[in-house]
Amino acid sequence: MLAYECYKATEDRKLDSEACVRVAFRNKNLGIDQYRFLLQTMVNSGLGEETYGPRNVLTGREQTPNLEDAHSEMDEIMFDTLDKLFTKTGVSPSEIDILVVDVSLFAPAPSLTARIINRYKMRDNIKAFSLSGMGCSASMVAVDLVQHLFKTYINAFAVVVSAETIGPHWYCGKEKSMMLSNCLFRSGGCSVLLTNKESLKHRALMKLSHSVRTNIGYDDEAYGCCMQVEDEQGYQGFLLTKGLTKAAAKAFTMNLKVFAPKILPIREILRFAIISLCKSKSKRSSGLNLKTGIEHFCIHPGGRAVIDGLGKSLGLSEYDLEPARMALHRFGNTSAGGLWYVLGYMEAKKRLKKGDRILMISLGAGFMCNNCVWEVMKDLEDANVWEESLDRYPIDRKNLVNPYIEKYSWINDECLNFVRMH
């Protein structure tokens, strides 16, 4: 990896508590129960006051998005990050051999890869791939795809663009399991430059050591736990069911069975095997200690519950979870681009030293768990997209108080049970 650039929207696109409530109150399908659910979800989301939303939602057109809304949202993310990536590295768009774009919910014709090729006048023999429908885990799929392509294409440059369209898919109905996405997903994305040119090894930030993909789409419950659907009123949205945690645990466990022998020392594998065979009657068991082979954990900032769950199952400390928590607080869940904001935080805080190993953990619709390990090639300290807000982070977990509860706690007043809100 030679460089990566995360997208940071303009100030007029900030979706703070006031803006979120304005959007919610515009939805005439909601009653007091739905407003209370939204309040509770916002309070527990882990998002702060500076995340970014799509323009059509901020301007009150969430119920009437058009094709231009989707294209403009993608153009801002793709072209802003790519312009900065080419400028920073000095690599010309005409030098790119492989282009992979992963956007789950928007697959226009011509494709987004074609849109990029046209904008930068790239070569006619570029190998272009558009990935859709893979959710928050798509970026790791794209990186893994490039890794395999590099076995065929020698001395090549590859660009991966990871993003998502939020605006055209804002849910305007009243189903609670579909309202969750409005509270978690925000605008963002990232462009990454990769190469297998030996002559550029000295410029590399990191080297991809291992990549393992697990897909449990054969499991009906896992397949349906994270899905784009329409509700009974015909409103389209993203359904997140209670089976999501179970599916995530199953996919991650299966992935780890393949991954662990690749990244952990033999002594740790033996220790775990012996303890497993000689398990005491106690219900508590000793799991694998991933820290024997990994220094940093780059967890997808999918939500507070996701971060807490992975942290608990892996025995991680608050220091380990801090990058994911802060990325969620500052930028929200930016889907496939989320991992790169977490990585950016680690670099900005000067955590990444030469020789360190980073485990990237991603979960996505399908249901998939795609993980990889990067080895840091040099000490890193670029403040990147975090530059202007770095001095405010980290925020102590006890102080991650969401302003929604202070401003809108009146919604829980029992008197409102008899009042119609609109």
Side-chain angles (χ1 to χ4, degrees), residues 213-223 225 243-258 310 313 362-363 367-371:
R213 291 166 55 183
T214 302
N215 192 320
I216 59 171
Y218 59 82
D219 183 311
D220 291 342
E221 185 181 8
Y223 175 78
C225 74
L244 180 60
T245 10
K246 182 180 175 183
K250 180 177 180 179
F252 182 70
T253 301
M254 292 177 67
N255 187 281
L256 202 57
K257 286 179 180 177
V258 179
L310 283 171
S313 63
S362 68
L363 300 160
F367 191 85
M368 299 183 294
C369 176
N370 303 314
N371 301 335

Side-chain angles (χ1 to χ4, degrees), residues 10-16 19 49-53 58 330 392:
T10 51
E11 292 294 305
D12 62 318
R13 289 182 57 188
K14 282 190 176 176
L15 197 57
D16 58 15
E49 288 281 84
E50 296 185 303
T51 60
Y52 302 102
L58 288 165
R330 176 62 183 84
R392 303 197 300 274

Side-chain angles (χ1 to χ4, degrees), residues 317-358:
S317 66
E318 276 304 310
Y319 178 83
D320 298 320
L321 298 177
E322 179 188 303
R325 290 198 196 283
M326 299 308 114
L328 178 66
H329 186 269
R330 176 62 183 84
F331 294 100
N333 180 349
T334 55
S335 191
L339 283 168
W340 303 101
Y341 291 92
V342 181
L343 183 68
Y345 182 87
M346 293 178 180
E347 181 177 1
K349 285 294 184 180
K350 302 180 181 179
R351 291 188 177 197
L352 305 180
K353 306 300 180 183
K354 183 178 180 180
D356 285 357
R357 292 151 297 182
I358 306 164

Side-chain angles (χ1 to χ4, degrees), residues 228-248:
Q228 188 179 16
V229 296
E230 284 186 355
D231 65 15
E232 293 181 353
Q233 293 178 294
Y235 290 106
Q236 191 179 102
F238 214 72
L239 174 70
L240 301 173
T241 73
K242 292 181 180 179
L244 180 60
T245 10
K246 182 180 175 183

Side-chain angles (χ1 to χ4, degrees), residues 123-353:
R123 300 201 316 263
D124 58 1
N125 64 342
I126 189 171
K127 305 301 180 289
F129 302 84
S130 295
L131 307 180
S132 64
M134 296 185 178
C136 301
S137 196
S139 196
M140 292 301 94
V141 176
V143 168
D144 185 68
L145 173 60
V146 169
Q147 181 189 33
H148 283 84
L149 290 169
F150 274 167
K151 294 175 183 178
T152 302
Y153 301 98
I154 310 302
N155 290 322
F157 281 118
V159 166
V160 170
V161 181
S162 300
E164 191 54 272
T165 45
I166 306 298
H169 306 285
W170 195 269
Y171 180 59
C172 298
K174 61 179 182 180
E175 294 299 321
K176 293 180 180 178
S177 56
M178 296 173 70
M179 289 160 59
L180 288 170
S181 60
N182 290 357
C183 300
L184 291 172
F185 288 100
R186 296 293 183 264
S187 295
C190 182
S191 291
V192 187
L193 179 62
L194 304 161
T195 187
N196 59 357
K197 292 176 181 279
E198 282 293 330
S199 60
L200 294 179
K201 187 176 180 179
H202 67 285
R203 289 180 55 186
L205 304 181
M206 302 173 203
K207 177 178 72 174
L208 185 65
S209 300
H210 305 286
S211 179
V212 175
R213 291 166 55 183
T214 302
N215 192 320
I216 59 171
Y218 59 82
D219 183 311
D220 291 342
E221 185 181 8
Y223 175 78
C225 74
C226 188
M227 181 177 285
Q228 188 179 16
V229 296
E230 284 186 355
D231 65 15
E232 293 181 353
Q233 293 178 294
Y235 290 106
Q236 191 179 102
F238 214 72
L239 174 70
L240 301 173
T241 73
K242 292 181 180 179
L244 180 60
T245 10
K246 182 180 175 183
K250 180 177 180 179
F252 182 70
T253 301
M254 292 177 67
N255 187 281
L256 202 57
K257 286 179 180 177
V258 179
F259 220 137
K262 298 175 182 287
I263 62 176
L264 299 181
I266 295 176
R267 67 177 184 277
E268 175 58 22
I269 302 294
L270 288 174
R271 182 197 69 81
F272 177 72
I274 293 169
I275 290 177
S276 297
L277 289 172
C278 309
K279 216 186 284 184
S280 65
K281 293 182 181 180
S282 170
K283 291 184 179 180
R284 296 183 64 186
S285 60
S286 178
L288 282 167
N289 181 8
L290 294 183
K291 292 185 179 181
T292 58
I294 297 293
E295 282 75 35
H296 308 282
F297 297 84
C298 188
I299 298 172
H300 170 63
R304 200 173 76 173
V306 173
I307 298 170
D308 288 346
L310 283 171
K312 184 177 180 180
S313 63
L314 296 178
L316 303 181
S317 66
E318 276 304 310
Y319 178 83
D320 298 320
L321 298 177
E322 179 188 303
R325 290 198 196 283
M326 299 308 114
L328 178 66
H329 186 269
R330 176 62 183 84
F331 294 100
N333 180 349
T334 55
S335 191
L339 283 168
W340 303 101
Y341 291 92
V342 181
L343 183 68
Y345 182 87
M346 293 178 180
E347 181 177 1
K349 285 294 184 180
K350 302 180 181 179
R351 291 188 177 197
L352 305 180
K353 306 300 180 183

Side-chain angles (χ1 to χ4, degrees), residues 375-399:
E375 180 185 343
V376 181
M377 302 299 285
K378 62 177 76 171
D379 292 357
L380 302 176
E381 54 183 32
D382 184 0
N384 56 77
V385 76
W386 287 90
E387 185 173 10
E388 293 178 8
S389 53
L390 193 61
D391 59 339
R392 303 197 300 274
Y393 289 91
I395 300 173
D396 189 280
R397 191 180 178 189
K398 295 177 181 178
N399 296 326

